[in-house]
Amino acid sequence: QRVVMLNMLTGVEDKVRGEGTHFRIPWLMQPKHYNIRTRPMLIQTTTGSKDLQIITIHVRMLFKPSIEGLPNIHRTLGEDYDERVLPSVANEVMKATVAQYNAESLLTQREQVSREIRESIVERASQFNILMDDIAITHLTYGKEFAKAVEDKQLAQQEAERQKFIVAKAEQERQATVIRSEGEAEAAKLISEALKNHGDGLIEVRRIDTAKDIAESLAKSPNVMYLPPGQQMLLN
């Protein structure tokens, strides 16, 4: 802590007293104690963005008084200087900064918005001999209309991606059908040319191959028995 001495005859003294033993005249010298440790303060404000969306923003500030400026703080503001200055300064800065951005830009450019708010508050607070150790945006919320608009946009993007996938799939199936048709046409052409050049020989070869496949299938079946020609057998 630090002490600002109020002299009942001459007013507030410019000397700031720290810890230790000091000379004091009763009644004539009245000490005013000030906490110089860093303290937090949370400021919340609701304002409008550039595109007229309702924005609620929370800013957390860590502040302390300037030791050299304590006499002036006591003269002009009093011991509750923080409650007198910081809420009004922070609200003014936040509203002015948010009004420069669209609602979507506040999300995509949050770091830049935070930096502008921090620099403006530090500059304004220094005019009142208040030092800022840190300033950060802790919460940023939007109105119901904007939240619904964001949700609708996401659904529309998902539907667009699904339609693109369906179109791409249909195009691949079409290309596969064309390639298959071209292959069948080429095979038919080759068969026609083979029949033209070799007569019925190709058909006979295909018939032999088919008979071979049928014979192999029957040979593997346990329910089929082969009987040589000219022999008779009685089966139960």
Side-chain angles (χ1 to χ4, degrees):
Q1 287 191 342
R2 293 295 184 271
V3 168
V4 174
M5 193 65 68
L6 173 61
N7 191 304
M8 300 302 292
L9 298 179
T10 60
V12 178
E13 297 181 1
D14 292 331
K15 180 181 179 181
V16 178
R17 292 166 171 81
E19 294 86 352
T21 302
H22 301 277
F23 176 77
R24 171 177 174 263
I25 301 175
W27 183 84
L28 181 64
M29 303 174 67
Q30 297 184 9
K32 303 298 179 181
H33 296 266
Y34 282 86
N35 186 357
I36 61 171
R37 294 177 179 175
T38 299
R39 291 179 290 160
M41 177 177 287
L42 182 64
I43 304 295
Q44 170 187 338
T45 188
T46 300
T47 184
S49 62
K50 188 176 181 180
D51 54 352
L52 304 181
Q53 297 294 333
I54 301 301
I55 308 296
T56 300
I57 183 171
H58 298 71
V59 171
R60 189 263 300 144
M61 302 180 295
L62 298 178
F63 71 96
K64 61 184 178 182
S66 169
I67 296 178
E68 294 79 8
L70 282 176
N72 190 47
I73 289 177
H74 189 75
R75 291 190 190 100
T76 57
L77 300 172
E79 297 177 67
D80 57 345
Y81 66 95
D82 50 341
E83 296 294 340
R84 288 172 176 261
V85 174
L86 295 181
S88 59
V89 168
N91 273 284
E92 179 184 355
V93 169
M94 286 189 288
K95 290 181 178 180
T97 304
V98 170
Q100 300 175 16
Y101 293 87
N102 295 328
E104 187 174 354
S105 300
L106 291 173
L107 283 176
T108 58
Q109 303 179 32
R110 178 164 177 165
E111 182 178 351
Q112 178 178 340
V113 174
S114 179
R115 183 173 62 253
E116 291 185 11
I117 291 176
R118 179 170 58 253
E119 292 174 353
S120 298
I121 292 179
V122 168
E123 181 181 357
R124 290 293 307 279
S126 64
Q127 299 173 6
F128 299 93
N129 297 294
I130 300 175
L131 304 178
M132 291 291 170
D133 287 345
D134 185 58
I135 301 172
I137 297 176
T138 57
H139 292 87
L140 190 64
T141 56
Y142 298 86
K144 294 181 179 180
E145 294 80 5
F146 181 78
K148 187 177 185 304
V150 171
E151 182 180 356
D152 293 342
K153 181 179 180 181
Q154 291 177 343
L155 292 176
Q157 290 176 343
Q158 293 174 358
E159 180 64 20
E161 291 296 328
R162 191 176 73 86
Q163 294 297 332
K164 287 170 60 177
F165 172 76
I166 292 174
V167 171
K169 182 180 179 181
E171 178 64 20
Q172 291 179 354
E173 291 177 349
R174 186 190 67 81
Q175 293 179 359
T177 301
V178 170
I179 294 173
R180 184 166 56 250
S181 300
E182 291 176 351
E184 293 175 351
E186 184 68 21
K189 180 180 179 181
L190 293 175
I191 292 174
S192 298
E193 291 179 355
L195 291 174
K196 181 179 179 181
N197 296 330
H198 304 287
D200 297 335
L202 179 60
I203 297 177
E204 187 65 27
V205 171
R206 291 291 179 88
R207 184 182 295 114
I208 294 172
D209 290 339
T210 303
K212 181 180 178 182
D213 293 338
I214 294 173
E216 289 179 355
S217 300
L218 293 176
K220 295 177 181 179
S221 176
N223 298 324
V224 177
M225 180 177 292
Y226 174 74
L227 296 178
Q231 296 186 11
Q232 297 182 357
M233 296 182 65
L234 180 61
L235 299 177
N236 293 328

